[in-house]
Amino acid sequence: MYITAAVLSVLLALVALAAGTPKAMLKGDVSAGLQSHMGLSAGLVRFIGLAEAAAAVGLVVGLFWQPLGIAAAVGFGITMIGAVGFHTKAGDYADPATRGNAMAPIILALVSAATAVTLVLAM
């Protein structure tokens, strides 16, 4: 079970880091889109990016100390559930043009839950 937990943790950490870094630095189309389309402030976008980057670090360190990995996976999952709420509020699931990008938080929330469960079972 540890190998599954390690693979899920590393993959989720890579995705979290790739998603969080541009937001934390307020660079790229995603940060601009969150500010214009979703109406989020620059400070909130940066906070979300830092939370995602922290989750990536926690998931990697959690390979050696599972409680931290579990907390990071749960925290990242909660962040993704919040993203689903914002996408719902913006009407992204009803619009076929934005639905594809809005599905990512749902998938990542499920992967976060699977990662947390496998880390618990690997203890």
Side-chain angles (χ1 to χ4, degrees):
M1 189 58 70
Y2 180 76
I3 293 172
T4 304
V7 169
L8 286 173
S9 293
V10 169
L11 289 175
L12 194 59
L14 289 173
V15 170
L17 188 62
T21 302
K23 291 176 196 160
M25 296 171 42
L26 294 177
K27 298 203 178 205
D29 295 337
V30 173
S31 295
L34 288 173
Q35 291 176 31
S36 64
H37 176 65
M38 298 270 193
L40 302 179
S41 68
L44 183 57
V45 172
R46 180 167 284 163
F47 176 76
I48 292 167
L50 291 172
E52 290 174 346
V57 172
L59 285 162
V60 171
V61 174
L63 293 173
F64 307 101
W65 189 49
Q66 278 89 4
L68 181 61
I70 295 165
V74 169
F76 187 70
I78 291 169
T79 303
M80 291 300 103
I81 291 170
V84 169
F86 275 103
H87 281 290
T88 302
K89 182 179 175 185
D92 290 341
Y93 296 109
D95 184 5
T98 58
R99 188 178 302 140
N101 289 338
M103 293 303 288
I106 294 172
I107 295 166
L108 290 173
L110 294 172
V111 173
S112 296
T115 303
V117 168
T118 55
L119 283 168
V120 167
L121 295 174
M123 287 182 75

